[in-house]
DNA sequence: AATGAATGAGATTTCATTCAT
DNA sequence: CATGAATGAAATCTCATTCAT
């Protein structure tokens, strides 16, 4: 009698372990062995739930995004327009250890995505969701008269998203130059500019 | 007399090959074997010109930066202040294939730098040069009254650099969303804002 | 259920193979490949049971010593003092093929120990056990009045141990000059001198 | 016009370099590159003067023995019999850095000799010379009445030579246990026993 | 379903040797 | 003669993957 196992639960368990390993030791240290050990299973178990390592890594990326979305859900509750946007973008900055690790994971996937179509595809899809959310909040904010109307909102969206990722990378690479406090202040100022330029 | 080989030329040859491999197949595919094959030599030849693989990779990063600097030198000739800054930042965007490859290489090194102290150190040193140059041009522009005086110029520097890297990543990852033309326009607008906000 | 393998048994299997390779082809020929082949496994299997090559080599040295101790245990049963000492030292001479191989292995490790701290440490620890045993037996023999009292027993210990190793090397290098029979006779005479010098 | 070079001089130069490398860094560090560098020549030059690396190593062993003989020649001048023997054997102990290195070199060759017929052959020939010399001095000492006549002098020869090598190894492996002073004292006592046992 | 033993390819690095100049 | 560039085999170690149990 084979033991009945909830496939998706077990997958999730392994993917969580993968995420933890990547966050803790970097994407290169995430070997199948390290993942299996972290998950508390043997090496061989991975075979049953994943096609191959790419499958695992892709799922780990997806999970990381879901984590971020979960955290955001709480923070955005009750907020709309510019206030929500501010919360959203600040949450995407590596302002504490947890988010620094998340950014590190994301950056690790960037380079991999450029040579792996599957990863690229996944990354693109999930990035689009974020873009759409930012764009929507900007639209709401504009309608509410919270921000200036001179600029194209799609352009603003791209600028803000690029700024968040650029600042994140620079914080991780050059922490002396760009500490967490300054990071926050720089992004805040950019958001302030959205308002001030309307006045 | 033996075949005399210019050491630095041969090093460059190998480093160029490394760069090509990274650009074409990604930084993970840049094994010593692949590099040697790409350079048209046997594996063992690397020994003559490099201490170890780190030496090769570091040199590849350095070479890429040198390429950029060389190209810039020509473009900046005769320019100062805001005009020079505009040229400099635009040149850092992946607006054509060559620069797209350069950006891809750079991004590949970001994640590696986070776990390799030697790479991190090199990256930091060279990034500081760029930062200093941008800051200087901003200072000159300010003195010449080309830009508004309200903002802290160090902050502006960081914002511009983050924007350039963020836009570069997004262009490479999401080319449909963020084509070369739009990239250029977005950065141009940001520079225009430096002026307009003074009016 | 997976194939269950007794870890220490498999380690022993590999270490025995290592020992055979060293005995047959010399310590320099004991590459990980040669060891794996001799053990009848693939290269990669060594990973499961050993941290690295040093671990294997050290275990091989340790195993050899354990072999010797096992054999001695039987021979020394019921013996004390000078008789036990005689048995002990004779057993350490390469008087048959088995012990010749053991001596050869030991000699191979001597030179390695001089440049490998880990090996050196292991060798020193195990040599000290032997020294202590010899010294103890000498003490017992002296108390029993079996040997002369004129000499410092620590010095005698060192002389006997040096003689055993020196004779062993010379037998292996110059078998024509120093056959097994003569080896035995020479060491026996040395032990006899311990007694006769008391008369 | 080819430059005229004294072949044996150039060989000697390289072999001296080899010896220096082995003495300084151990026999395993004596790579052809290291040897060539030490000799002040390029790698390729070795080809002209030696058949292969074995040829070099063998010559280095031979040279080391010649060095020892040279040093002895001076020390033995004017001495005969037991006094000469004492000088000879003491000179063979690793009582200072130079001789410790020489002993290290010798020990490194022991294990190699066991799997290399050519090395073995060379070692045997040169060991025989030493044995013959010791035996001769013992004979002279006996004729002069300097030592007891009870023992077979061939046996004494082997015992003394084994003791010297055994003590040398133990000094190098266990210097804490067997310092230079004690080494000298132990061998001296053994020589004294040759006399005292006659009384 | 789960184990973990085993595989074998491949990565980096080292080295004796060859050879065109 | 001498150089040193170049080779290619081999050594150690790592890792994703397979598979018998």
């Amino acid at each position: 009698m084979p033991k009945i196992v909830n496939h998706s639960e077990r997958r999730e368990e392994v993917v969580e372990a993968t995420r933890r390993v990547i966050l803790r030791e970097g994407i290169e240290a995430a070997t199948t062995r390290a993942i299996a050990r972290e998950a508390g299973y043997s090496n061989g178990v991975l075979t049953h739930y994943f096609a191959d390592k790419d499958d695992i890594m892709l799922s780990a990326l997806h999970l990381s995004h879901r984590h971020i979305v979960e955290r955001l859900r709480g923070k955005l509750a009750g907020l709309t327009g510019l206030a929500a946007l501010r919360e959203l973008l600040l949450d995407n900055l590596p302002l504490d250890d947890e988010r620094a690790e998340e950014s590190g994971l994301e950056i690790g996937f960037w380079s991999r995505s450029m040579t792996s179509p599957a990863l690229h595809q996944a990354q693109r899809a999930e990035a689009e969701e974020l873009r759409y959310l930012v764009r929507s909040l900007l639209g709401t904010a504009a309608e509410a008269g919270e921000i200036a109307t001179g600029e194209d909102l799609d352009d603003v969206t791209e600028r803000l998203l690029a700024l968040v990722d650029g600042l994140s990378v620079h914080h991780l690479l050059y922490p002396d130059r760009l500490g967490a406090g300054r990071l926050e202040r720089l992004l805040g100022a950019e958001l302030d500019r959205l308002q001030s330029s309307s006045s």
Side-chain angles (χ1 to χ4, degrees), chain A:
Chain A
M1 283 284 289
K3 195 169 7 173
I4 293 305
V5 174
N6 186 325
H7 250 252
S8 54
E9 267 183 17
R10 188 59 47 91
R11 267 183 72 100
E12 192 129 332
E13 251 180 287
V14 172
V15 173
E16 289 275 12
T18 306
R19 185 173 161 269
R20 285 197 302 275
V21 172
I22 299 178
L23 293 180
R24 202 175 53 232
E25 305 171 50
I27 199 168
E28 277 131 44
T31 66
T32 53
R33 272 188 161 95
I35 291 168
R37 198 184 324 116
E38 174 78 23
Y41 293 105
S42 66
N43 299 326
V45 88
L46 303 185
T47 298
H48 294 292
Y49 301 103
F50 298 90
D52 53 16
K53 198 190 174 186
D54 273 6
D55 190 7
I56 301 177
M57 298 304 272
L58 216 124
S59 305
L61 177 63
H62 191 66
L63 174 67
S64 187
H65 289 162
R66 259 181 34 213
H67 265 269
I68 295 169
V69 168
E70 290 298 322
R71 192 178 50 223
L72 257 181
R73 199 190 303 280
K75 291 191 177 178
L76 292 191
L79 298 180
T80 57
L82 194 55
L85 182 64
R86 186 178 298 265
E87 208 58 48
L88 167 63
L89 295 180
L90 283 177
D91 185 80
N92 264 275
L93 288 178
L95 294 178
D96 53 29
D97 286 354
E98 182 190 356
R99 284 177 284 166
E101 287 175 340
E102 279 170 4
S103 293
L105 181 147
E106 195 76 21
I107 293 166
F109 274 104
W110 285 347
S111 134
R112 304 232 161 170
S113 291
M114 292 176 193
T115 52
S116 158
L119 267 181
H120 193 181
Q121 168 58 27
Q123 198 124 25
R124 216 159 38 186
E126 310 205 4
E128 172 54 21
E129 288 182 34
L130 179 62
R131 192 205 62 80
Y132 181 76
L133 183 51
V134 169
R135 178 61 183 78
S136 300
L137 291 176
L138 270 176
T140 313
E143 285 171 16
E146 295 177 328
I147 61 174
T149 55
E151 274 189 291
D152 178 85
L153 292 188
D154 286 324
D155 285 353
V156 175
T157 301
E158 296 297 350
R159 185 173 72 232
L160 291 174
L161 289 170
L163 200 55
V164 164
D165 277 345
L167 288 171
S168 296
V169 170
H170 290 181
H171 171 62
L172 293 180
L173 288 178
Y174 323 119
D176 299 338
R177 196 172 109 185
L178 207 58
R182 193 162 179 217
L183 211 59
E184 193 169 3
R185 191 159 48 77
L186 281 169
L187 187 62
E190 181 68 15
L191 289 167
D192 293 341
R193 290 212 300 173
L194 288 177
Q195 302 173 269
S196 65
S197 58
S198 71
S199 59

